[in-house]
Amino acid sequence: MDEVQLKSTIGKLDDVIDEVGKVIVGQRDIIEELLISILAGGHCLLEGVPGLAKTLMVSTLSKTLELDFHRVQFTPDLMPSDIIGTEILEEDHSTGKRFFKFRKGPVFTNIMLADEINRTPPKTQAALLEAMQEHSVSYGGERYELPKPFFVLATQNPVEQAGTYPLPEAQLDRFLMFIRVGYPTEADEVEILNRTTGSYKAELNRVMGAEDIVALQSFVTSVEISTPILNYVAQIVRATRPADSPVELVQKYVRWGAGPRAGQALVRCAKAKALISGRFAVTLDDIRFVAKAVLRHRILLSFQAEAEEIAIEAVIEALFKGVPEPKSPIA
């Protein structure tokens, strides 16, 4: 892809956000975070109470991208084979011989929406682990590659609600970003009522295809990040660990902090954020924009924090206040 094609493709990212905005009122930052996760080659988990259009947001995004899309409603009786596929017995009518053939499940797609992922038991949740990490599925001693690009965009209800199975830390860490969807503003809520109870009907256009996404994913790694900002990211991640942290809130309320994978995720997401903004170098603002979604599921709060109702977002904000910013971030 030459420079002209690259700039044209980057310009389409704003068109994607605008297209999704035809259906989703407000929530621009969340839509942008979804795109960041996709461009950074990771998976994304959205959490929020029912009725906040999490599923609609993901399905609308998929309609603006020329990618294969499968939605799986996770329920308590869902089995791993319902996700990855299963072997079926077939017969060759010309010879009469019978043989087993692997029938691929809905995970063989570009975008898989795992809807209400924490409504299903851990055994079925774990069926996604290999696919999310390796971009492949093993069954019956055979390995099956998943299409490129491949993303899992999952939604979940808050774990305090009845009938939920909290995702284990190993699976949470497979998600590059963990986004919390809040209630709309008053103005947005009025617009939602106006659109959904009237004659408004959005006509969505497909803006980008698989080749565009793969090309941008490859280019994201080429986005520049200065040594001072890399050092700053390392200091932020290390400051999440109570034993090494200069931040009082971390020392008091964090049970264990983020590992090196968190730093990698921060850099990858910040590079994708810079690209969406039309820049080819990471700034401190890019790091701050992606920090909460990258770190909130990689820091485990103590029982004392839960008892005192200390939010993980407060801890992350304290991190950025307690770790000095580099004096020359572009050096």
Side-chain angles (χ1 to χ4, degrees):
M1 182 181 289
D2 59 33
E3 185 177 346
V4 175
Q5 290 176 316
L6 178 63
K7 289 182 178 179
S8 174
T9 304
I10 293 172
K12 293 179 182 179
L13 294 170
D14 277 336
D15 296 334
V16 171
I17 295 173
D18 291 340
E19 287 296 312
V20 177
K22 291 179 180 179
V23 176
I24 303 298
V25 179
Q27 309 286 22
R28 183 181 176 90
D29 283 354
I30 293 175
I31 297 168
E32 195 168 322
E33 285 174 324
L34 284 172
L35 271 179
I36 287 170
S37 185
I38 289 174
L39 294 185
H43 311 287
C44 195
L45 177 64
L46 291 89
E47 181 183 88
V49 299
L52 295 181
K54 301 183 297 297
T55 301
L56 180 62
M57 192 181 301
V58 175
S59 62
T60 303
L61 177 62
S62 73
K63 291 174 183 176
T64 68
L65 306 174
E66 294 185 57
L67 301 174
D68 290 334
F69 171 73
H70 284 154
R71 173 182 178 271
V72 178
Q73 181 65 50
F74 279 61
T75 57
D77 60 347
L78 194 74
M79 299 296 291
S81 59
D82 296 325
I83 299 171
I84 63 174
T86 188
E87 284 185 332
I88 59 172
L89 185 63
E90 292 193 350
E91 182 177 335
D92 187 330
H93 296 293
S94 60
T95 63
K97 291 184 177 180
R98 294 183 176 183
F99 58 93
F100 284 100
K101 182 179 180 181
F102 180 67
R103 175 167 290 179
K104 295 178 178 179
V107 76
F108 287 86
T109 187
N110 295 125
I111 297 180
M112 177 181 170
L113 170 56
D115 207 5
E116 295 187 300
I117 190 172
N118 63 336
R119 290 289 184 194
T120 201
K123 180 179 180 181
T124 306
Q125 293 173 2
L128 279 177
L129 281 175
E130 182 189 6
M132 292 171 67
Q133 184 68 21
E134 306 295 337
H135 287 205
S136 65
V137 165
S138 297
Y139 193 96
E142 296 290 332
R143 181 185 174 94
Y144 302 90
E145 295 292 330
L146 297 175
K148 292 182 180 181
F150 170 70
F151 315 103
V152 173
L153 301 180
T155 69
Q156 74 170 12
N157 295 318
V159 294
E160 293 83 4
Q161 293 198 345
T164 57
Y165 300 84
L167 293 173
E169 284 75 13
Q171 181 142 351
L172 275 176
D173 200 41
R174 295 296 189 275
F175 288 101
L176 184 68
M177 303 182 84
F178 178 15
I179 301 169
R180 285 196 170 134
V181 183
Y183 290 107
T185 64
E186 183 178 352
D188 286 343
E189 195 149 1
V190 170
E191 180 60 23
I192 290 169
L193 293 173
N194 180 48
R195 289 190 187 185
T196 57
T197 61
S199 58
Y200 177 83
K201 185 177 181 181
E203 295 290 337
L204 293 175
N205 299 309
R206 292 191 179 273
V207 178
M208 301 180 73
E211 290 184 1
D212 294 325
I213 296 294
V214 172
L216 289 178
Q217 282 181 329
S218 299
F219 188 77
V220 160
T221 58
S222 302
V223 173
E224 295 290 332
I225 182 168
S226 67
T227 300
I229 293 182
L230 272 179
N231 291 335
Y232 180 62
V233 169
Q235 290 168 21
I236 288 289
V237 173
R238 292 181 65 82
T240 66
R241 305 162 193 164
D244 302 321
S245 183
V247 181
E248 183 180 352
L249 220 60
V250 172
Q251 297 170 6
K252 187 175 181 181
Y253 294 117
V254 173
R255 191 172 172 187
W256 72 65
R261 187 179 289 175
Q264 295 169 340
L266 273 173
V267 172
R268 286 165 56 195
C269 291
K271 287 186 173 187
K273 166 61 178 171
L275 198 63
I276 288 175
S277 301
R279 290 179 281 100
F280 302 105
V282 172
T283 67
L284 290 176
D285 285 339
D286 297 325
I287 300 294
R288 284 190 285 264
F289 183 87
V290 302
K292 288 182 181 178
V294 168
L295 294 175
R296 63 165 50 102
H297 58 304
R298 293 184 166 97
I299 300 173
L300 184 66
L301 297 182
S302 65
F303 295 117
Q304 183 181 355
E306 294 181 20
E308 297 183 25
E309 298 183 346
I310 301 297
I312 185 63
E313 286 78 12
V315 174
I316 295 172
E317 289 171 6
L319 278 170
F320 281 86
K321 290 178 181 177
V323 176
E325 293 183 354
K327 295 180 179 179
S328 302
I330 60 173

